[in-house]
Amino acid sequence: MNEVLEKIRKPSIFILLLILNFRFLFTVVLGERQEILSVLTVVFFLLSFDYAAMRREYLYCLGLFVIISLAEFTPYKLNVLTPIILMQCVSTLNLKTYLKYNIIILGTTVFIMFLFVGTGRMMQSETFSLIRVRYDFGFGHPNIAAIYYWGLFTSLLLYCYLSRYRNFVWILLSVLMLLSIYLYTETVSRSFILTIITFCVVLFYYSLRMKLKPNYRIGYSRYILYILPLLFTALTIYLAQNVEEYPALNMLVSTRLTLYKQLLDSLVPIQYLLGTTAFDYIIIDSSYMHLLFEAGVFLFIYFIYLYFFAIRNIVKQQNIIIIAVVVSFLVYGLMESLLLFSVIIGNNLFWVLLYKYRYNKEELFDTDPKQLD
């Protein structure tokens, strides 16, 4: 039985990612929930799950999540469950294979959407008393389109970086940056352009240090990398609690801080442990608010645990492009809930990287310092 499951795991993972992508297209883009896709998701989760490689802390985390979900269930808790299970599904899958699956599915979807929809319908909204003209490329909202393209861009970049095409990384990176600028001019997604800027700053900073200083090793800046999720979570909560003192910033982030404060004011102590159902009626575009309050503090602690050991191993390998990708995802999470928006399969790359660098670094990555040639 185990041999049969191992043989079907690889194709099952591809089908699972395809089903998640279809769920995104039907539910988010078309607004038509298809129950058959939910059933197929469960089936292929079971077929793809790597039962033999489960680790104790992962099993404890999964069991704790199930208990918490039963105590106070909300459909949004499934957003937490999806990346947790998907990490175990791809735990022993070669990262390049996983990236290839992402590129095939995301790239095909983008091509078809652009072919038939183009830049999509025009959306107008008032910001600073001005009318903004934005385009969504058929994905239903400009910010969602930008997130979808970001998953494709990072998958392409990492696949090139980890393959024999590594010498072309700078060329590919230049092309992707030009496409990103174009995408921003169409979608006017501030969270997207902030992510692009962060990625470039982190990548060029470490690249420049490695060029200027022989045998450069990441020094004190690693301590900042270690605490970034905690820092971003604390910053989000602080700004939300003191939103009256930052009206301009609140307007800049489309009054997100007001909604965050509304969520915080609605919480009772037990919800810090079990999560809250407030996400059913309050739209929260912050990955950190979702991570902390959607499933409770225990799951947030597991996320911090997973992140800390993963980023420590990434730093040990001096893998600057992986650092840039991870940090950019974290920054994107400040203004979007993409870290738990798992039906956009490109977002799951963040969790897969954390899991693999936490547990499989010696098997899947060489330990020589990685820098861009």
Side-chain angles (χ1 to χ4, degrees), residues 122-134 188:
M122 182 176 68
M123 299 185 64
Q124 295 181 326
S125 60
E126 291 192 17
T127 303
F128 303 113
S129 301
L130 298 174
I131 298 295
R132 290 189 299 170
V133 179
R134 307 175 68 189
V188 198

Side-chain angles (χ1 to χ4, degrees), residues 39-261:
V39 174
L40 288 174
T41 300
V42 174
V43 171
F44 281 93
F45 265 139
L46 293 173
L47 292 175
S48 305
F49 199 82
D50 191 353
Y51 301 94
M54 271 199 297
R55 292 164 177 86
R56 184 178 300 175
E57 62 266 32
Y58 174 85
L59 186 60
Y60 290 161
C61 170
L62 187 59
L64 181 61
F65 176 80
V66 171
I67 294 172
I68 289 173
S69 297
L70 292 175
E72 187 167 2
F73 178 77
T74 168
Y76 279 91
K77 281 187 168 60
L78 298 177
N79 294 336
V80 181
L81 183 63
T82 301
I84 289 177
I85 293 182
L86 190 64
M87 287 189 297
Q88 187 63 29
C89 291
V90 302
S91 61
T92 56
L93 185 70
N94 182 275
L95 181 59
K96 285 196 294 186
T97 302
Y98 174 76
L99 292 170
K100 188 186 299 183
Y101 289 169
N102 264 7
I103 294 167
I104 292 172
I105 297 172
L106 295 171
T108 302
T109 303
V110 163
F111 176 76
I112 292 175
M113 293 287 281
F114 192 78
L115 185 65
F116 288 98
V117 183
T119 55
R121 67 178 185 274
M122 182 176 68
M123 299 185 64
Q124 295 181 326
S125 60
E126 291 192 17
T127 303
F128 303 113
S129 301
L130 298 174
I131 298 295
R132 290 189 299 170
V133 179
R134 307 175 68 189
Y135 300 91
D136 64 4
F137 292 83
F139 286 96
H141 193 282
N143 290 346
I144 292 176
I147 291 172
Y148 199 91
Y149 274 83
W150 174 247
L152 176 59
F153 287 177
T154 51
S155 295
L156 281 167
L157 189 63
L158 290 185
Y159 182 80
C160 181
Y161 175 63
L162 296 172
S163 70
R164 64 179 183 273
Y165 305 110
R166 184 174 169 184
N167 290 334
F168 299 97
V169 164
W170 281 113
I171 297 175
L172 177 62
L173 185 60
S174 300
V175 173
L176 293 180
M177 290 304 102
L178 290 175
L179 289 174
S180 296
I181 294 172
Y182 164 73
L183 192 65
Y184 171 70
T185 61
E186 297 295 296
T187 63
V188 198
S189 175
R190 290 188 290 267
S191 53
F192 175 73
I193 196 62
L194 177 62
T195 301
I196 296 297
I197 292 172
T198 300
F199 175 83
C200 291
V201 168
V202 173
L203 182 60
F204 288 121
Y205 169 77
Y206 284 120
S207 295
L208 186 61
R209 294 296 302 272
M210 286 185 170
K211 292 291 185 183
L212 296 179
K213 185 177 180 181
N215 301 317
Y216 170 76
R217 306 292 294 179
I218 297 174
Y220 292 114
S221 63
R222 70 181 184 274
Y223 297 113
I224 298 176
L225 296 174
Y226 293 161
I227 65 170
L228 271 182
L230 288 172
L231 183 64
F232 287 162
T233 303
L235 178 64
T236 301
I237 293 175
Y238 169 79
L239 292 175
Q241 292 285 27
N242 300 276
V243 61
E244 296 84 2
E245 299 178 19
Y246 303 96
L249 179 61
N250 192 32
M251 287 294 294
L252 183 65
V253 297
S254 304
T255 67
R256 284 176 170 89
L257 297 179
T258 300
L259 295 173
Y260 300 169
K261 182 172 176 56

Side-chain angles (χ1 to χ4, degrees), residues 320-339:
I320 60 173
I321 197 165
I322 303 293
I323 291 173
V325 168
V326 170
V327 172
S328 62
F329 266 102
L330 291 174
V331 170
Y332 218 145
L334 280 168
M335 294 179 62
E336 303 289 351
S337 57
L338 85 163
L339 296 184

